Amino acid sequence: MCGIVGYTGRREAPPILLEGLQRLVYRGYDSAGLAVSSNGTLAIRKMAGPVEDLSQDILQTPLRGVAGIGHTRWATHGAPTTLNAHPHTDCSGRIALVHNGIIENADRLRAELSASGHTFRTDTDTEVLAHLIEDAPGECLEDRVRAVIGRVKGSYGIAVVGTAEPGKIVAVRQGSPVLLGLSEGGTFVASDAAAVRSHTDEVVYLLDGDLAVITADGYQIRRGNGTIPLRRPTRVAWSADAVELAGFERYMLKEIFEQPDAIRRTIASWSARNESEDALAQCNLTPLECRTFERIQIVACGTSWHAGLIGRYILEEMTGIPVQVEYASEYRYKCQLPLPGTLTLAISQSGETADTLEALRRAQSEGSHVLGIVNTVGSTIARESDGVMYLAAGPEIGVASTKAFTSQLVALLLLGLTFGEARGALAPPRARELEGELRKLPELVRRSLEVDREIKELAKIVSNPRGFLYLGRGVSFPVALEGALKLKEVSYLHAEGYPAAEMKHGPIALVDDDTPVVFVAPRDGLYRKVLANIQEVKARGGRIIAICAEEDEEEMELARLADHRVHVPCPSDPLLTPVTTVVPLQLLAYHVAMLRGCNVDRPRNLAKSVTVE
Ligand code: AGP
């Protein structure tokens, strides 16, 4: 949720830390701060507002030092003020730390520490950690941090510096992601690889319970009372350019336009395993196991949950296996009997969403095989799943998920195809036909992007309404949900996604000439039914935007009913249509938000990776 970065080496730390924070702003951006060790003191600079403000401040009054830690915050405990910004310090100012996560027993610890004479200056849960370390026994910083860990409940990733050992950073991972970056010029710690990628492609992921001691020359990891052998670093597969804007005005737009490549790579990485057996082996499954599953459950949040809803249509039709889709946050607490023979799919772009991770753990504890469908290599969900199917979408920086969504759909289609064939649910000719359709998707999405200009014009007409309705049926219903979510996230306009026929049971009351109604209406088995729903809205004076198939250019009835028609090329198999019909909805959200002056890459109150419950 928050972003952490630290560096210790032979170079000046502040510019490195500020650059790292810039890369991490998508994790949280309500305030930012640095602590730099220099000449036996800790210089701290922090402020509410974007990292750019902090950079400006440091430019005017420079900080110097070759080791330090930085933080960009998404507030949980305490308002997003300068005082509550990280790093936080102990009473003496000799310990400073940054934290991502939540300390669940912070109130009790705070009361105890206050009673024993500690002075708290902030409303955060994090500050208790600094005071606990201040009091902790131990010869060195790592011993003192180790002593504190036992007293703290919750999930956290922390990085700590102290005046007594200036070139040292101690980092701990317990529930929130932390990795180390290794390079000749020094050692890094960060909450994700984006923060360090321009300096190194070698990272070591910490595991829960790891305490790392980082110096300019490298690192050690301690678990329990001992030091463990060095872990083999993982190579980050994407280049530093992948997190640049590359000429686009916003990451969201860049990522929308990257979809053809993201989909092509996702198909290629699966098909590189020539035989479906190889592909299943990657999921840690055998064809026999795959034939014996009796049901599939999908757990995910937000956009990934929408991908899961579409996955239900795909998997039920291609594999014949019943599928249920759960919000991970609900599933983790729901009363449920163990379900033998269940395959669980945990879908997550970041691989760090706390609710999805807990849902995964719960499914495993019930004996389910969990397959992670994950974009971020080495993330916690990827590591804890029994098998993992990686998307190859590349780093997604915009808070609103776009290319990860369409890549998730493609992954679900590939999985459906593989399972369908292994179970004999898909006849070989139908399987080949679907495969051919799948391979056309990158080109169809590329052509779908050609509506960008048209959508930009349309956005001018609809950028200030009372709200939006998004309607669709069958596999297009979750597309409508996703369109509504995208618009809400980035433009702050209210939007509601609904099954088109169900709107008669309530939402139709919202229809007026100030509430555009977006119909997702590809040419599928429900098309004529959707036309009837469009009639119903038209009869009530609604302004209709129809997302329809390119082939429907001549469709007279739709032309008569819709105020605006946006044509996209649609795959001939309806199961694949969400991959192209969602594209104009992403663009509509983007352009409406830009016209309204919203910060689309950093929408208010949101964070890219939700690592708290
Ligand atoms: C998507 O636009 C959202 N920002 C959000 O709903 C996101 O999909 C959700 O938080 C799940 O994230 P994950 O895919 O990284 O698990």
Side-chain angles (χ1 to χ4, degrees):
M1 210 75 184
C2 303
I4 291 176
V5 62
Y7 167 76
T8 172
R10 285 165 270 283
R11 294 163 55 196
E12 278 298 311
I16 294 175
L17 298 176
L18 287 169
E19 187 210 327
L21 290 184
Q22 281 294 355
R23 304 287 180 209
L24 291 174
V25 282
Y26 68 94
R27 299 181 71 94
Y29 34 81
D30 54 44
S31 51
L34 298 186
V36 178
S37 315
S38 170
N39 302 327
T41 60
L42 284 174
I44 301 210
R45 197 72 61 77
K46 56 185 188 174
M47 55 178 53
V51 175
E52 290 81 0
D53 291 0
L54 181 71
S55 298
Q56 275 307 317
D57 186 74
I58 291 175
L59 204 64
Q60 277 157 23
T61 324
L63 286 178
R64 296 194 69 84
V66 291
I69 52 177
H71 188 267
T72 176
R73 181 168 187 245
W74 186 86
T76 55
H77 289 58
T81 59
T82 297
L83 204 59
N84 288 335
H86 297 216
H88 293 292
T89 53
D90 64 338
C91 297
S92 66
R94 286 196 282 265
I95 303 285
L97 68 82
V98 290
H99 162 226
N100 172 25
I102 289 182
I103 307 300
E104 287 166 8
N105 54 344
D107 289 348
R108 194 176 53 74
L109 292 169
R110 190 183 182 100
E112 279 174 29
L113 287 158
S114 300
S116 65
H118 287 266
T119 306
F120 279 81
R121 291 175 288 261
T122 77
D123 308 319
T124 65
D125 53 342
T126 306
E127 195 183 345
V128 298
L129 295 169
H131 294 282
L132 284 171
I133 297 169
E134 183 178 11
D135 277 0
E139 295 288 300
C140 52
L141 187 58
E142 56 270 32
D143 286 350
R144 295 166 73 190
V145 173
R146 165 68 67 211
V148 164
I149 289 168
R151 300 192 56 195
V152 173
K153 290 200 176 73
S155 80
Y156 48 90
I158 57 174
V160 192
V161 287
T163 52
E165 295 155 279
K168 182 189 278 183
I169 302 173
V170 175
V172 178
R173 179 202 156 114
Q174 186 57 56
S176 298
V178 180
L179 57 82
L180 310 180
L182 314 180
S183 81
E184 289 295 314
T187 315
F188 300 81
V189 57
S191 40
D192 74 56
V196 301
R197 181 63 191 88
S198 62
H199 304 284
T200 179
D201 65 351
E202 284 200 344
V203 299
V204 172
Y205 293 99
L206 296 192
L207 305 180
D208 279 350
D210 282 352
L211 179 151
V213 183
I214 302 148
T215 61
D217 299 319
Y219 74 98
Q220 281 185 346
I221 296 179
R222 302 188 175 192
R223 291 186 68 85
N225 292 325
T227 301
I228 61 164
L230 294 185
R231 287 200 186 115
R232 199 143 61 101
T234 304
R235 217 161 265 290
V236 181
W238 39 272
S239 71
D241 307 350
V243 290
E244 299 294 341
L245 274 170
F248 283 89
E249 56 186 351
R250 296 287 183 276
Y251 281 106
M252 182 179 174
L253 191 64
K254 177 186 179 227
E255 287 158 7
I256 291 172
F257 273 83
E258 280 176 346
Q259 291 181 108
D261 285 341
I263 292 170
R264 192 174 291 113
R265 286 196 300 266
T266 299
I267 296 173
S269 68
W270 187 254
S271 317
R273 294 158 188 87
N274 277 329
E275 301 296 325
S276 64
E277 264 186 48
D278 294 346
L280 285 173
Q282 179 201 2
C283 306
N284 203 9
L285 287 170
T286 62
L288 179 66
E289 282 169 318
C290 149
R291 283 194 286 276
T292 51
F293 286 121
E294 289 166 32
R295 60 186 73 76
I296 296 176
Q297 63 182 3
I298 298 178
V299 291
C301 300
T303 286
S304 297
W305 182 76
H306 294 157
L309 290 179
I310 295 171
R312 175 166 61 198
Y313 291 90
I314 294 171
L315 294 170
E316 288 190 338
E317 194 172 319
M318 288 193 184
T319 69
I321 309 174
V323 179
Q324 71 190 55
V325 188
E326 306 274 2
Y327 279 120
S329 53
E330 292 296 316
Y331 171 80
R332 58 184 287 195
Y333 294 114
K334 147 176 163 183
C335 161
Q336 181 168 305
L337 300 172
L339 296 171
T342 300
L343 170 68
T344 300
L345 304 180
I347 307 180
S348 175
Q349 186 287 126
S350 61
E352 301 294 350
T353 301
D355 285 320
T356 308
L357 180 60
E358 286 307 321
L360 169 169
R361 288 175 178 157
R362 176 165 178 187
Q364 279 175 333
S365 74
E366 282 160 1
S368 180
H369 181 99
V370 177
L371 175 60
I373 299 182
V374 176
N375 192 35
T376 307
V377 176
S379 56
T380 314
I381 291 175
R383 285 204 312 270
E384 291 203 15
S385 294
D386 301 300
V388 62
M389 186 172 181
Y390 277 120
L391 312 174
E396 193 180 63
I397 307 291
V399 166
S401 185
T402 52
K403 63 176 178 172
F405 176 70
T406 43
S407 300
Q408 286 164 345
L409 298 184
V410 167
L412 288 160
L413 285 160
L414 290 163
L415 195 68
L417 201 56
T418 309
F419 266 60
E421 283 189 285
R423 293 171 73 94
L426 277 179
R430 165 102 169 111
R432 296 291 72 79
E433 196 184 310
L434 280 165
E435 202 180 323
E437 289 280 302
L438 247 161
R439 291 189 186 285
K440 288 185 204 153
L441 281 175
E443 175 57 14
L444 294 186
V445 172
R446 189 196 63 71
R447 283 177 37 218
S448 304
L449 290 164
E450 289 170 4
V451 299
D452 184 43
R453 248 169 217 280
E454 181 186 343
I455 297 278
K456 198 169 178 178
E457 289 307 308
L458 176 60
K460 289 180 189 157
I461 310 170
V462 296
S463 66
N464 213 12
R466 211 148 48 87
F468 273 78
L469 264 175
Y470 285 75
L471 304 174
R473 298 188 75 158
V475 77
S476 296
F477 159 53
V479 179
L481 290 178
E482 175 59 8
L485 176 64
K486 283 290 88 82
L487 188 86
K488 279 185 279 204
E489 276 188 293
V490 298
S491 76
Y492 317 145
L493 280 168
H494 181 67
E496 188 147 0
Y498 233 73
E502 188 65 19
M503 58 134 190
K504 292 192 283 293
H505 303 283
I508 200 164
L510 297 173
V511 171
D512 61 19
D513 59 3
D514 199 19
T515 306
V517 185
V518 181
F519 276 92
V520 185
R523 184 60 81 116
D524 58 17
L526 291 166
Y527 180 69
R528 304 237 51 100
K529 304 277 179 198
V530 175
L531 277 183
N533 300 135
I534 295 178
Q535 295 265 17
E536 290 156 3
V537 172
K538 186 75 183 170
R540 285 155 184 87
R543 175 198 288 260
I544 290 155
I545 300 170
I547 309 299
C548 48
E550 212 171 51
E551 300 71 28
D552 277 354
E553 191 104 42
E554 304 303 321
E555 220 317 324
M556 292 319 289
E557 195 173 350
L558 192 60
R560 186 173 54 76
L561 293 171
D563 298 274
H564 312 275
R565 287 179 301 152
V566 180
H567 295 97
V568 287
C570 278
S572 43
D573 193 297
L575 282 179
L576 283 71
T577 57
V579 182
T580 60
T581 54
V582 77
V583 172
L585 306 186
Q586 296 168 337
L587 288 166
L588 184 64
Y590 175 79
H591 288 299
V592 167
M594 289 296 283
L595 282 170
R596 293 169 60 82
C598 301
N599 187 342
V600 293
D601 285 337
R602 301 182 213 170
R604 70 183 179 207
N605 305 337
L606 297 181
K608 179 74 181 159
S609 177
V610 185
T611 55
V612 293
E613 186 177 349

